[in-house]
Amino acid sequence: MGAMSRRTPTRPEPCPCGHPLPYDKCCGRLHRGEAAAANPEELMRSRYSAFARRDEAYLLRTWHPRTRPPRVEFDPAMRWTGLAIEDTADGTAFHSTGTVTFRARYSDGGRPDSLHERSRFERVDGAWVYVDGDFID
């Protein structure tokens, strides 16, 4: 009888958006196209995670066609380190628009900083997409 090898269970990867669900069950399912964001906050969280993971395809897919850039440029010195949702308005099943105010923390070349924004979202063909935002501070 041979010795059985024991595998150490791997811990699920945390979601960059800060939600307690692991990435695979949180933003990962949206990034893979298995689900669509149910509201602007969920889309905001998934887009933050896409920036953190440098998922250009998801970011472009969830950007409003009239404001979408041709591509997303990622700064290799920038590392996203945390997201705080401060406020949401509208964006329910009864709305066609919504806003999310958030603060996204990052480090740029090791220097900590943050981005404070009030983002606008709209439904296009039933799906929530990012339109644009206003910087705060």
Side-chain angles (χ1 to χ4, degrees), residues 22-35:
Y23 169 75
D24 220 36
K25 294 183 191 289
C26 189
C27 294
R29 64 193 176 81
L30 280 76
H31 294 172
R32 292 187 303 273
E34 296 168 1

Side-chain angles (χ1 to χ4, degrees), residues 110-123:
R111 265 188 5 263
D113 206 343
S114 68
L115 167 73
H116 198 194
E117 183 177 304
R118 182 173 184 259
S119 295
R120 283 179 284 283
F121 298 88
E122 288 181 16
R123 284 187 199 267

